[in-house]
Amino acid sequence: MLSSIALQGGAGAIFGLIGILLFVAHVALIVWTYSDAESNSSHPAFLWAIVVFLAPLLGIVLYLLLGRDRL
């Protein structure tokens, strides 16, 4: 019954905008991790990018704590 109720007004647009913003932030985080790891890490940069892609919050914390050789 609840699944047949359509979103009314601008709620669908707001959820869509939030989804797009989260997607853009996720991609930006992956790109930043890759570029930063190329210059500040002795580990392969693409591996850190994959870690951040698969687990965004945990991946960026692990990269900042373990992946960077210099602060």
Side-chain angles (χ1 to χ4, degrees), residues 4-69:
S4 64
I5 300 173
L7 292 175
Q8 296 180 3
I14 291 172
F15 288 131
L17 181 61
I18 291 172
I20 290 171
L21 290 175
L22 288 174
F23 175 75
V24 169
H26 188 200
V27 170
L29 191 64
I30 294 167
V31 170
W32 177 84
T33 303
Y34 180 82
S35 64
D36 190 68
E38 281 187 321
S39 59
N40 294 326
S41 179
S42 59
H43 305 294
F46 73 92
L47 290 178
W48 283 115
I50 291 171
V51 169
V52 172
F53 172 74
L54 294 175
L57 296 177
L58 179 63
I60 196 66
V61 169
L62 288 175
Y63 170 68
L64 291 174
L65 292 176
L66 304 174
R68 298 184 88 194
D69 294 334

